[in-house]
Amino acid sequence: MNLSINFLSVAKMAPDDYVGFTFFVGCMAMMAASVFFFFSMNSFDKKWRTSILVSGLITFIAAVHYFYMRDYWAATGDSPTFFRYVDWILTVPLMCVEFYLILKVAGAKKSMMWRLILLSTIMLVTGYFGEAVYTDNAAFWGFVSGVAYFIIVYDIWLGSAKKLAVEAGGAVLSAHKTLCWFVLVGWAIYPLGYMAGTEGWYTQFLGSFNVDVLYNIADAINKIGFGLVVYSLAVNSSEK
Ligand SMILES: *C/C=C(C)/C=C/C=C(C)/C=C/C1=C(C)CCCC1(C)C
């Protein structure tokens, strides 16, 4: 019975609640993006369908988490750190899968995909330790997480993934490059949010801004933007 009551009651939102606003808009944007990716999927060559499906899964998983995070924020006024990290631990490995899928044409091996998945898992688990469990050592855990992040950046910009992208050339190479920029610039917003939300040597250098606003903006850019890069790759290579 509680369930029906929860669905019928809507928490109040103050007009200056920018955090709540970005949770709300984020939820809708992720939902709309999912519908877009799912519905466009079958208009592409078979070899691109899985990539588009994964783009849709990423935004769909996020939409569901945003639905809960929005509610959690409205009800408690706290950061929904737990839901946030559950979302990331599901969606970031899927982004690694996306790198693999678009490089498959150049003979990418599953081992490359698993390496990226493992690194992203280390990045997120250690980040969660610093942000939610061992908060007294946030700077240390943030550093460990950052090392994993930099290895990912290295792998895709200069390592084995880069080599495969060059071999594939054309539309795949340029899509790979764009995705690399997302990881270098778009993903860099997250450590900034982390530093804003935890205590460490960096606290004195950062003004106060809200973690969730940063994370929400970053998620919209990275999840929807990432999917659109894959979408336009599919469009460009299906035309010929
Ligand atoms: C859709 C969600 C995405 C793309 C999330 C990405 C998250 C990160 C790149 C997080 C990185 C972190 C660091 C590099 C250091 C501090 C801890 C984290 C987990 C915030």
Side-chain angles (χ1 to χ4, degrees), residues 58 62 85 87-88 91-92 95 123-128 131 141-143 145-147 149 183 187-188 190-195 215 218-219 222-223:
I58 291 169
Y85 275 84
D87 172 343
W88 290 353
T91 52
V92 177
M95 294 171 130
M123 174 180 85
L124 296 172
V125 170
T126 53
Y128 186 72
E131 198 164 341
W141 289 110
F143 175 78
S145 172
V147 171
Y149 169 58
V183 173
W187 288 24
Y190 297 98
L192 271 180
Y194 180 90
M195 290 193 281
Y215 284 163
D219 275 357
N222 288 305
K223 293 186 166 64

Side-chain angles (χ1 to χ4, degrees), residues 117-209:
I117 290 176
L118 178 71
L119 285 164
S120 66
T121 307
I122 294 172
M123 174 180 85
L124 296 172
V125 170
T126 53
Y128 186 72
F129 283 169
E131 198 164 341
V133 188
Y134 309 112
T135 46
D136 289 343
N137 291 315
F140 168 76
W141 289 110
F143 175 78
V144 178
S145 172
V147 171
Y149 169 58
F150 274 112
I151 301 174
I152 295 173
V153 169
Y154 175 86
D155 265 19
I156 56 171
W157 273 90
L158 304 162
S160 54
K162 164 74 190 295
K163 240 195 312 187
L164 288 165
V166 171
E167 267 166 44
V172 170
L173 177 59
S174 64
H176 177 82
K177 268 203 186 131
T178 313
L179 293 183
C180 284
W181 278 108
F182 270 94
V183 173
L184 184 66
V185 180
W187 288 24
I189 304 171
Y190 297 98
L192 271 180
Y194 180 90
M195 290 193 281
T198 58
E199 294 279 330
W201 55 267
Y202 39 76
T203 306
Q204 50 183 316
F205 303 110
L206 290 169
S208 66
F209 38 83

Side-chain angles (χ1 to χ4, degrees), residues 81-138:
T81 310
F82 175 78
F83 292 120
R84 178 79 75 188
Y85 275 84
V86 176
D87 172 343
W88 290 353
I89 206 94
L90 297 170
T91 52
V92 177
L94 281 175
M95 294 171 130
C96 300
V97 172
E98 205 79 285
F99 270 103
Y100 163 74
L101 286 175
I102 72 166
L103 293 176
K104 225 167 69 174
V105 285
K109 292 205 193 75
K110 285 233 170 70
S111 59
M112 182 202 93
M113 176 185 85
W114 286 115
R115 188 182 144 90
L116 290 176
I117 290 176
L118 178 71
L119 285 164
S120 66
T121 307
I122 294 172
M123 174 180 85
L124 296 172
V125 170
T126 53
Y128 186 72
F129 283 169
E131 198 164 341
V133 188
Y134 309 112
T135 46
D136 289 343
N137 291 315

